[in-house]
Amino acid sequence: MDTSPVNVCVGAGIIFMSVLVLLWHRQGSMRRRGPRVWPIVGMLPSVLLHVNDIYDWATEMVAECEGTLRFRPPWMTNMFSVVTTDPKNIEYILKTKFGNYPKGAYYKSIFDDLLGDGILNIDGPEWERARKSMSSVLHSPGFKTHIMRTLERSINGTLVPLLAEASRSASPIQLEHILLRFSFHNMCVLGFGVDLGFSEIGRLELAIKQALDATVLRFIAPSGVWKSMRFLGMGFEGKLKASMKTINAFTGRVIAERRKELSSDGRGRHDMLSMIMASQSQIDDRALRDMTLNFVLAGRDTTSLALCWFFSLLHKHPHVEDKIVSEIRRIVEVGSDLSVEEVKEMHYLRAALSETLRLYPSLPINWKEAMQDDVLPDGT
């Protein structure tokens, strides 16, 4: 019998490959629920294959797993997570044991460059203080009036004429892009008190989009990889650095101008930045930047996405559109300015918007981190 090292190695290799194939087929035959788990890379290939329909696919996979999916990440990464849509689990995490489930240090490290210590990126007592501070501004009569005036000016001066022209000429339009620009422009006016020109708002919007895209990639790349790329200023981390330079230059300029304006004549503005400055005289520029930028980012995509789905659903359900138009005509006098009180009377419109958000939530994922070992109501 020939027992040379070459033949032994070949034989061992064949046996090893046969065992792998056997285990692979066994895993395939046993896989009944959720995405396929690949050797070394875990479930990541399945995620990458469904980037363009990630929410629909994730919903289907979680449903296969009866409401809770254990995500298996690539080997040697810290992406292990549990994805749940079980109402009992959600209530437990967001209410019953809220204190045990903050966003966590991992989430904060990923968004730190963009969000800093803003309300979207903090937990615990800091979050409570930021929420109280922003809530006092949002519920003030001056800010509510500022919202109504800003929207009326933007809708009547820009949005309605643009849509009317498209309707007159029967020209197709990218409603998503129009509403995104509309929302971003209004959030800048409400947050920073500035009415940006077309070119400047375009540069700022592009910088924010690139910063968000690069930040999301940190969830996929291992921490050591993206932190090394950040140190070297290469790849998507280089783009993030360049985008943040544009964003910080804009916010720094606006804050400096507002401080100078308030110190010279003390005029009372009602945008978020000015009202925070007026109520917190000792607040530093970084904190002002974080609070105001977080406010703008929180309303940018969420508002435009909700409006896109709302109009899409109205197109499919014209009887709902008829009822909304009838309600508006009953409450608002033709030619008069719309008031906050009149908006509060539009119960059917509010219900239609709420149903839109239920069907197509603008924020479909809520990231939380368990501070202590715990067992969810479904046994996870």
Side-chain angles (χ1 to χ4, degrees):
M1 182 189 304
D2 185 358
T3 58
S4 65
V6 173
N7 288 336
V8 171
C9 288
V10 170
I14 293 173
I15 293 172
F16 178 71
M17 291 300 296
S18 299
V19 170
L20 279 182
V21 170
L22 180 63
L23 290 173
W24 182 256
H25 282 290
R26 177 178 172 81
Q27 182 196 47
S29 64
M30 292 176 65
R31 191 190 78 87
R32 296 176 184 271
R33 303 183 301 178
R36 180 182 293 279
V37 181
W38 299 80
I40 301 178
V41 292
M43 294 180 178
L44 185 59
S46 299
V47 174
L48 297 177
L49 284 172
H50 292 276
V51 167
N52 293 326
D53 65 335
I54 188 67
Y55 296 125
D56 290 335
W57 172 79
T59 301
E60 180 184 338
M61 291 296 101
V62 174
E64 277 190 20
C65 298
E66 300 179 356
T68 302
L69 164 68
R70 294 161 180 81
F71 181 77
R72 305 297 178 183
W75 182 59
M76 291 188 69
T77 67
N78 50 1
M79 291 171 57
F80 180 84
S81 56
V82 173
V83 184
T84 184
T85 58
D86 187 314
K88 291 182 179 178
N89 289 346
I90 293 173
E91 182 181 26
Y92 183 82
I93 293 169
L94 297 182
K95 182 181 178 182
T96 309
K97 292 291 288 291
F98 179 75
N100 191 45
Y101 292 95
K103 297 181 185 72
Y106 179 64
Y107 181 97
K108 179 169 173 50
S109 69
I110 285 178
F111 280 97
D112 192 56
D113 289 323
L114 180 59
L115 301 179
D117 291 324
I119 193 168
L120 300 177
N121 204 36
I122 52 179
D123 291 304
E126 289 182 330
W127 179 81
E128 291 285 355
R129 286 192 295 270
R131 182 175 179 273
K132 184 177 180 180
S133 177
M134 295 187 73
S135 181
S136 64
V137 173
L138 293 172
H139 291 92
S140 66
F143 190 75
K144 289 181 179 179
T145 302
H146 182 51
I147 290 176
M148 298 303 296
R149 289 175 178 171
T150 298
L151 291 178
E152 284 179 358
R153 185 167 58 249
S154 183
I155 291 170
N156 295 329
T158 304
L159 185 61
V160 169
L162 191 152
L163 296 178
E165 174 58 25
S167 177
R168 185 193 64 77
S169 61
S171 303
I173 57 174
Q174 287 284 353
L175 190 61
E176 181 182 2
H177 295 166
I178 291 172
L179 292 176
L180 183 62
R181 176 62 63 86
F182 169 77
S183 299
F184 183 58
H185 173 266
N186 287 323
M187 293 307 297
C188 284
V189 175
L190 296 174
F192 290 103
V194 291
D195 194 346
L196 300 176
F198 184 83
S199 60
E200 186 173 12
I201 197 171
R203 287 194 301 271
L204 182 60
E205 190 174 24
L206 178 61
I208 288 176
K209 180 184 183 302
Q210 289 177 339
L212 286 169
D213 290 345
T215 300
V216 169
L217 290 176
R218 289 179 171 181
F219 280 104
I220 299 175
S223 298
V225 172
W226 67 258
K227 287 180 180 179
S228 298
M229 292 172 65
R230 180 176 62 179
F231 178 77
L232 297 172
M234 58 185 293
F236 64 83
E237 287 293 331
K239 292 182 179 179
L240 175 60
K241 184 177 181 179
S243 299
M244 290 311 306
K245 185 176 181 180
T246 300
I247 295 169
N248 291 333
F250 165 77
T251 56
R253 174 175 60 81
V254 173
I255 291 170
E257 290 174 355
R258 194 60 42 80
R259 285 196 186 280
K260 183 178 179 180
E261 177 184 300
L262 290 174
S263 64
S264 61
D265 57 22
R267 286 185 303 165
R269 287 176 176 248
H270 295 289
D271 55 85
M272 176 69 70
L273 176 62
S274 298
M275 294 187 75
I276 292 175
M277 280 184 171
S279 62
Q280 303 179 43
S281 58
Q282 301 301 317
I283 190 170
D284 60 39
D285 287 2
R286 176 63 193 231
L288 282 170
R289 174 263 189 202
D290 291 347
M291 292 182 71
T292 313
L293 184 60
N294 275 242
F295 169 76
V296 171
L297 293 178
R300 173 181 173 266
D301 287 337
T302 52
T303 305
S304 60
L305 286 172
L307 288 173
C308 282
W309 283 117
F310 177 66
F311 287 121
S312 174
L313 289 170
L314 287 186
H315 179 68
K316 296 176 183 177
H317 302 279
H319 67 286
V320 175
E321 179 182 359
D322 292 339
K323 290 183 178 180
I324 291 173
V325 172
S326 176
E327 181 179 64
I328 293 173
R329 285 175 173 165
R330 176 175 56 82
I331 295 173
V332 182
E333 287 187 32
V334 177
S336 64
D337 291 335
L338 186 65
S339 68
V340 175
E341 289 70 27
E342 288 173 328
V343 173
K344 289 180 179 179
E345 293 181 36
M346 299 177 186
H347 303 298
Y348 192 85
L349 173 60
R350 183 186 182 94
L353 288 167
S354 297
E355 180 66 358
T356 300
L357 290 170
R358 185 187 72 82
L359 293 168
Y360 301 102
S362 297
L363 293 173
I365 295 177
N366 196 339
W367 178 285
K368 296 292 182 179
E369 182 177 317
M371 297 302 292
Q372 298 178 354
D373 290 351
D374 201 1
V375 179
L376 300 179
D378 70 349
T380 303

